[in-house]
């Protein structure tokens, strides 16, 4: 009895066929230079962001004026306050640490409330309080002073003769600086104010003020 042996089906061919053939895989190429560059870019961006945040938080103490200060008027402690501004704002500010010098200076121009004080706004001497000038106190009655007059305003000082006096109404001081304003009556526009006038006009103004024949008119455009 012959035993039929079946040869292994393409045993050798199975090992040498196309399906069993694998293409060679190229080794993965490492690029350390690109990786290092990416890390540097990330770190650089983080550093720039940090610097911007830190710079935006830089603040310095400056001086802001809280009250109107007329040209020639002296700055006082009550007129100044501390305010924080950006260090790189580009403004010619005066540091809060130098407020003592500012308090001993005089305004070169009329400074409005809320203005950031700069070095050009103050001088050591006042032309308004120099030689040839005098300060005069006026006690005014209702109707002799308009409402809203404040220190730093410009006013005309006017002689207003009484009914019994002989004379005509005339201006005694064309543009006097209001140096200070006292408390006004709650029911009328009257009170005590101090004005700066030429010393040559002060005796006449004082004489008429003592008899109640003085009135003032505000000059809104002459600041």
């Amino acid at each position: 009895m012959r035993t039929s042996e079946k040869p292994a089906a393409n045993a050798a061919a199975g090992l040498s066929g196309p399906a069993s053939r694998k293409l060679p895989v190229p080794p993965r190429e490492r690029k350390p230079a690109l990786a290092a560059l990416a890390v540097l870019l990330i770190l650089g961006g983080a550093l720039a962001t940090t610097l911007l945040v830190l710079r935006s938080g830089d603040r310095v103490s400056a001086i802001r004026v809280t009250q109107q200060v007329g040209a020639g008027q002296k700055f006082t402690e009550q007129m100044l306050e501390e305010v924080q501004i950006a260090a790189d704002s580009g403004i010619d500010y005066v540091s809060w640490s130098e407020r003592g010098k500012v308090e001993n200076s005089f305004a070169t121009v009329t400074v409005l409330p809320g203005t950031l004080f700069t070095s050009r706004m103050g001088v050591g001497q006042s032309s308004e309080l120099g030689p040839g000038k005098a300060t005069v106190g006026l006690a005014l009655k209702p109707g002799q002073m308009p409402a809203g007059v404040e220190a730093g305003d410009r006013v005309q000082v006017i002689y207003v003769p009484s009914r019994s006096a002989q004379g005509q109404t005339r201006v005694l001081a064309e543009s006097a600086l209001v140096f200070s304003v006292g408390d006004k009556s709650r029911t009328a526009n009257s009170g005590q104010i101090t004005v700066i006038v030429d010393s040559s006009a002060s005796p006449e103004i004082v004489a008429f003020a003592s008899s109640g024949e003085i009135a003032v008119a505000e000059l809104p455009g002459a600041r």
Side-chain angles (χ1 to χ4, degrees), residues 70-207:
Q73 188 178 2
K74 187 177 182 180
F75 290 98
T76 64
E77 182 181 357
Q78 293 74 21
M79 298 175 179
L80 310 175
E81 69 176 0
E82 182 179 9
V83 63
Q84 299 292 321
I85 64 172
D88 56 352
S89 61
I91 302 175
D92 181 26
Y93 69 92
V94 175
S95 173
W96 177 250
S97 61
E98 299 182 13
R99 62 188 179 278
K101 296 180 181 179
V102 177
E103 292 172 6
N104 292 322
S105 65
F106 300 86
T108 57
V109 295
T110 297
V111 183
L112 299 178
T115 303
L116 194 68
F117 184 87
T118 64
S119 57
R120 296 183 180 181
M121 293 181 182
V123 291
Q125 295 182 349
S126 171
S127 59
E128 293 288 342
L129 294 175
K133 297 290 184 178
T135 57
V136 177
L138 304 175
L140 301 175
K141 299 177 181 180
Q144 293 180 331
M145 180 175 66
V149 174
E150 299 178 354
D153 288 342
R154 293 280 177 176
V155 297
Q156 284 184 333
V157 180
I158 305 170
Y159 166 58
V160 182
S162 62
R163 294 180 180 179
S164 59
Q166 295 181 354
Q168 295 182 348
T169 301
R170 56 191 174 91
V171 177
L172 303 178
E174 188 65 38
S175 181
L177 174 66
V178 178
F179 188 75
S180 63
V181 178
D183 293 333
K184 296 180 181 179
S185 171
R186 295 182 179 180
T187 58
N189 297 325
S190 61
Q192 177 80 26
I193 69 171
T194 301
V195 296
I196 301 174
V197 298
D198 292 337
S199 57
S200 58
S202 61
E204 191 175 27
I205 293 175
V206 170

Side-chain angles (χ1 to χ4, degrees), residues 28 47 151 158 216:
R28 183 174 296 177
L47 180 60
I158 305 170
V216 297

